[in-house]
Amino acid sequence: MQSLRLIGTMLILLVGFSLASAQLKSQEQRALPTQVPKHDAILVGTAWYPEQWPESRWEQDLKLMEVANIKVVRIAEFSWSRLEPLEGHYDLDWLERAVAAAAKHHIVSVLGTPTATPPAWLTQKYPEILREEPDGRRVTHGNRAHASSTSPLYREYCRKIAGEMAKRFGHNPEVAGWQIDNEYGYALMSYDDATQKKFQEWLKSKYRTLEILNALWTTAYWSETYDNWNEIPIPVGGHNPGLQLEWKRFVTDAWNDYQMNQIAVIRKYADARQFITGNLMGFFDGFDHYVITEPLTFASWDDYVGSGHLDPDFNGLAHDLTRGFKRENFWVMETQPGAVNWAGINNFLNKGEVRAMAWQAIAHGADEIGYWQWRSALNGQEQYHGTLLGADGTPVPIYKEVSQIGQEFSKAQEAFRGTTVRSQVALLYSYDSHWAIQFQKHTQKYDDIAMLKSYYRALRKLSQSVDVISAKASLDGYKLVVAPNLNVLPKDVAENLLNYVRNGGHLVLGPRSGLKDEHNELLVQRQPGYLMAALGGRVEQYYALEKDFSVSGEWGTGQASVWAEQLNALNPGTQVLMRYGKNNGWLDDQPAVISRAYGKGKITYIGTILDEKLMKTAAEWMVKESGVGPAFASVPDGIEVSVRSGPGKSAFVLINFAPESQNVDFGKRMKMLLSDRQGESVELAPYGVEVLQAP
Ligand code: GLA
């Protein structure tokens, strides 16, 4: 009996051990979808347009790319008129030759479906596929994003061209993956009758009856009551908030269906190994990116500075937002080789800034950085945009900096294989809340993205790593979750947050939280709605501020601006951390920040917008209360430090965004991968970069 028990125990231990080691192995072997098998883990790429040049020139271009350590080309995304010069006559041979020519130079291809630019024969034959503007005018041919994403006829042509491409390239080992369309037509919609009808049908399938819709949108207000589905307009501004929010969701679904039409046919013919992505645009808010990225293998985005210079906080935030869409590494499909052509002032980035920007992307979880574009088309709308080659086909000065980036990526790439960013702090973002605030800002000064950035900046400085995720995502494992603007807070989302707090998390809410439900309808509870009981407090009244007010308490004394909520601590366990000073009478000495222990965790509500100094002390309090530590070590202001980790390894990226040289102490001996040495500190010049690994 005894020995049987012993054998049993040993068996359990053995099974347990092999399960654990299998788990470890699968973790170790988990290849990231953003890292192309058999290629470097981090890559430099470029947008190349072989269709714009004689084939005899390709070899020279590709040679110059190889010399610059460029290892990816994204091609074909605007080449429909070359791929299908006449209806049904496909010419994909040239593209196959371009892919093969690139491969000879160890350059892998990403194919863009050309659906942002339907050819003239198509728009002439079926002018009804052209988008209609809100004023009823049809857009003309000759630009891009000119087709209606909801047109079944247009989708049919998109499906055919994507299918032909997938049949030809779906098994091509030199094609790493696909990009659907280009920037999803900036989410532009056609305001034609057919789209309006679709919207009405969409509403019908969602609400079932007009009684329900009328009730949830309170259409009794201003005689908006609908007796027939076909009475419901497309909102063009100034409409009912319920209608406006549903339109945004409809637009999201429309673009999702638009991409699914192509994804389905590519998946039908292509190897599973080939990824499918779409090039997004940071904080662009035309649709809900959590929905759009759902069917994609990974997210990618186009990172442009435009006028001025890199704002490392804002850019870092946009990277982290993109990483948070799928909680996965991402690509920077496009970025500027110095300057763009579409901003107010198309200044060139400083020497070294393009390199710092590339490393910042990697540090935040990108695995590819693609420069737009290789060489300017001799004619076409973007003649002045930054490029790597001049019109004469030889390198311009930025080519050298990009070559250096490529060289450094090759050198350091192994340290990044299988690694991503994991943070103790999460910031929550919600398109519903963002839109709801945009529809009714109440004060033109309210900028929810700027607020997100101010929290991000203060928290990231201390924690050195922040995730930006959906309010609906699982919050397990985070020590601190901050939701600066969760204006739309329906019950299921509130429940997600409450569970997090019950299990020991610290949730910090900002102003305007919990005012509305998923229909953009005011909740009948005071703010923060379904979280009021757990907070043990509520908002008595909100005030748009004409001028800054003083505020003081646990975090020091400073200014509250733009928005102030008069809070009330209803529960004896609810602490008042900050109070407003003397100001409009209503807010005099009233609570501005309250906090309460709940379950195993804590909820804190900040009812106003704090100045930078107060935000800093608030963040210090938040990380201390939540037990969040720095991911690396304390570094001087202006140094951005980031960590990417994978099974058994970590890589640290240090970038100096300050205008002067700075010394960074590591507190221990580290390997410096870019300068090939070991030491305990490094001197970084402005825009200087170093990558560290434990020796
Ligand atoms: C966008 C587009 C590119 C190009 C660049 C220019 O991101 O996707 O085709 O027009 O802008 O900055």
Side-chain angles (χ1 to χ4, degrees):
M1 195 59 193
Q2 195 75 334
S3 57
L4 264 180
R5 215 175 268 158
L6 197 72
I7 293 171
T9 314
M10 278 174 68
L11 261 174
I12 290 169
L13 278 175
L14 232 123
V15 171
F17 177 74
S18 52
L19 267 179
S21 71
Q23 236 168 27
L24 206 75
K25 244 198 168 144
S26 75
Q27 250 181 23
E28 271 167 21
Q29 283 167 357
R30 183 184 170 251
L32 301 180
T34 41
Q35 296 185 339
V36 184
K38 300 198 196 111
H39 287 264
D40 285 357
I42 52 173
L43 300 164
V44 172
T46 191
W48 181 45
Y49 298 96
E51 71 276 19
Q52 295 169 6
W53 302 98
E55 214 166 314
S56 55
R57 165 73 207 191
W58 294 357
E59 184 57 23
Q60 208 176 333
D61 278 324
L62 293 162
K63 249 192 225 150
L64 282 166
M65 286 183 207
E66 189 176 3
V67 171
N69 301 293
I70 287 174
K71 296 181 175 165
V72 181
V73 282
R74 188 206 50 193
I75 44 182
E77 84 276 12
F78 299 123
S79 67
W80 198 335
S81 63
R82 284 293 305 272
L83 293 169
E84 191 182 359
L86 287 171
E87 181 166 4
H89 293 268
Y90 297 100
D91 176 9
L92 281 68
D93 294 347
W94 66 269
L95 186 54
E96 195 166 343
R97 290 195 297 277
V99 168
K104 271 203 280 160
H105 293 272
H106 316 288
I107 296 171
V108 80
S109 294
V110 174
L111 300 186
T113 64
T115 51
T117 47
W121 59 257
L122 180 51
T123 57
Q124 295 312 298
K125 185 170 175 191
Y126 301 113
E128 67 269 33
I129 67 161
L130 289 166
R131 274 192 304 107
E132 209 174 291
E133 301 280 32
D135 64 6
R137 198 172 44 87
R138 266 199 202 282
V139 297
T140 52
H141 186 93
N143 213 314
R144 57 179 173 182
H146 44 289
S148 164
S149 63
T150 53
S151 158
L153 185 62
Y154 186 56
R155 285 192 188 170
E156 177 61 20
Y157 279 92
C158 293
R159 196 186 56 75
K160 278 196 211 149
I161 186 72
E164 288 301 319
M165 289 174 80
K167 274 186 229 163
R168 178 71 77 96
F169 296 101
H171 305 298
N172 188 318
E174 303 304 339
V175 173
W178 300 81
Q179 172 189 296
I180 303 293
D181 202 76
N182 189 66
E183 294 180 337
Y184 296 100
Y186 328 117
L188 288 169
M189 293 298 283
S190 182
Y191 291 79
D192 54 27
D193 293 345
T195 305
Q196 183 176 0
K197 181 113 192 63
K198 265 210 161 79
F199 178 45
Q200 292 159 347
E201 281 160 7
W202 183 91
L203 288 169
K204 191 172 175 185
S205 72
K206 182 163 183 180
Y207 285 83
R208 306 272 164 214
T209 74
L210 279 171
E211 288 67 41
I212 296 175
L213 179 144
N214 281 320
L216 290 170
W217 294 2
T218 324
T219 54
Y221 178 83
W222 284 1
S223 274
E224 286 166 7
T225 310
Y226 301 109
D227 301 311
N228 199 316
W229 294 98
N230 64 21
E231 294 165 355
I232 303 176
I234 295 179
V236 285
H239 275 96
N240 180 298
L243 170 67
Q244 289 198 70
L245 187 57
E246 291 299 13
W247 171 251
K248 286 288 189 187
R249 293 182 180 135
F250 171 75
V251 171
T252 301
D253 278 6
W255 281 98
N256 193 32
D257 289 349
Y258 174 84
Q259 69 167 349
M260 284 313 297
N261 174 51
Q262 297 182 41
I263 291 174
V265 73
I266 293 172
R267 279 284 162 247
K268 181 170 168 193
Y269 296 115
D271 295 341
R273 140 193 89 75
Q274 291 183 338
F275 64 74
I276 302 182
T277 189
N279 54 338
L280 303 160
M281 292 182 282
F283 277 97
F284 168 74
D285 63 358
F287 43 59
D288 186 325
H289 289 51
Y290 295 106
V291 176
I292 293 291
T293 53
E294 224 274 319
L296 300 176
T297 317
F298 58 80
S300 62
W301 78 292
D302 298 345
D303 183 7
Y304 290 101
V305 173
S307 289
H309 293 271
L310 184 73
D311 171 349
D313 297 314
F314 185 66
N315 209 53
L317 173 62
H319 283 313
D320 294 346
L321 174 83
T322 307
R323 193 183 66 247
F325 291 147
K326 291 189 72 77
R327 305 181 87 174
E328 186 75 86
N329 284 6
F330 58 95
W331 277 25
V332 173
M333 194 58 93
E334 297 178 16
T335 191
Q336 68 193 66
V340 298
N341 69 318
W342 43 257
I345 298 175
N346 297 301
N347 61 284
F348 215 88
L349 295 182
N350 291 332
K351 202 163 183 195
E353 197 172 358
V354 167
R355 170 174 172 254
M357 195 173 163
W359 273 111
Q360 190 194 30
I362 300 296
H364 286 253
D367 284 324
E368 192 259 10
I369 319 291
Y371 287 91
W372 199 96
Q373 62 173 325
W374 175 242
R375 180 180 177 184
S376 183
L378 296 182
N379 220 322
Q381 281 91 322
E382 297 172 294
Q383 288 168 308
Y384 277 86
H385 200 284
T387 54
L388 298 177
L389 299 193
D392 67 345
T394 68
V396 292
I398 194 71
Y399 172 93
K400 205 164 157 211
E401 190 164 318
V402 171
S403 313
Q404 185 191 347
I405 298 165
Q407 210 171 31
E408 290 176 346
F409 279 15
S410 303
K411 197 162 158 185
Q413 58 91 22
E414 208 42 57
F416 293 94
R417 191 175 300 284
T419 68
T420 184
V421 180
R422 295 273 172 260
S423 313
Q424 300 178 349
V425 180
L427 276 181
L428 301 188
Y429 189 67
S430 140
Y431 286 89
D432 285 355
S433 293
H434 168 71
W435 290 324
I437 291 172
Q438 292 300 313
F439 298 152
Q440 299 177 86
K441 288 175 98 158
H442 202 58
T443 158
Q444 61 192 19
K445 290 185 187 160
Y446 204 98
D447 180 344
D448 60 313
I449 307 293
M451 266 188 81
L452 191 71
K453 184 184 140 188
S454 77
Y455 277 85
Y456 176 83
R457 183 183 148 82
L459 288 166
R460 196 181 191 283
K461 173 112 194 63
L462 301 168
S463 62
Q464 300 172 343
S465 192
V466 171
D467 289 348
V468 182
I469 56 172
S470 159
K472 295 177 188 164
S474 155
L475 305 175
D476 289 353
Y478 289 111
K479 291 186 174 167
L480 173 64
V481 169
V482 182
N485 281 296
L486 225 43
N487 191 236
V488 172
L489 187 49
K491 205 164 189 167
D492 56 334
V493 180
E495 209 35 56
N496 188 34
L497 302 183
L498 282 174
N499 274 334
Y500 166 72
V501 179
R502 282 187 199 111
N503 292 328
H506 185 186
L507 171 70
V508 178
L509 300 165
R512 299 180 85 146
S513 293
L515 184 75
K516 294 171 153 193
D517 70 8
E518 66 269 38
H519 307 288
N520 211 1
E521 191 183 22
L522 293 170
L523 284 167
V524 288
Q525 296 92 325
R526 290 286 184 83
Q527 286 171 256
Y530 297 111
L531 301 179
M532 198 179 89
L535 176 67
R538 67 180 201 180
V539 174
E540 294 298 335
Q541 179 64 58
Y542 50 79
Y543 303 86
L545 303 185
E546 297 156 279
K547 55 180 175 46
D548 292 358
F549 282 176
S550 70
V551 62
S552 60
E554 174 109 17
W555 301 339
T557 299
Q559 299 295 307
S561 65
V562 182
W563 190 273
E565 287 170 348
Q566 178 185 346
L567 307 183
N568 190 355
L570 298 170
N571 190 292
T574 306
Q575 263 183 294
V576 176
L577 299 182
M578 299 288 286
R579 285 182 185 275
Y580 299 104
K582 258 207 145 348
N583 39 63
N584 69 353
W586 300 109
L587 284 162
D588 293 3
D589 204 35
Q590 294 300 305
V593 178
I594 58 177
S595 182
R596 179 179 179 230
Y598 176 74
K600 293 185 199 146
K602 189 187 262 280
I603 298 195
T604 300
Y605 191 103
I606 304 175
T608 190
I609 300 180
L610 303 169
D611 66 33
E612 205 179 317
K613 211 169 117 238
L614 276 181
M615 181 52 88
K616 185 168 171 272
T617 47
E620 280 161 6
W621 178 86
M622 285 180 226
V623 299
K624 192 160 160 255
E625 284 288 308
S626 323
V628 171
F632 179 63
S634 161
V635 293
D637 275 351
I639 298 284
E640 190 195 86
V641 49
S642 310
V643 187
R644 284 182 53 160
S645 316
K649 69 180 188 200
S650 292
F652 304 86
V653 182
L654 304 176
I655 308 174
N656 183 13
F657 285 115
E660 63 282 332
S661 286
Q662 302 212 74
N663 194 72
V664 187
D665 264 316
F666 315 148
K668 54 186 171 269
R669 202 169 175 76
M670 298 292 280
K671 262 200 294 194
M672 288 171 259
L673 302 186
L674 300 189
S675 53
D676 285 320
R677 59 201 174 92
Q678 291 201 7
E680 295 198 3
S681 68
V682 68
E683 179 80 12
L684 291 178
Y687 299 126
V689 182
E690 189 52 272
V691 178
L692 310 178
Q693 232 187 356

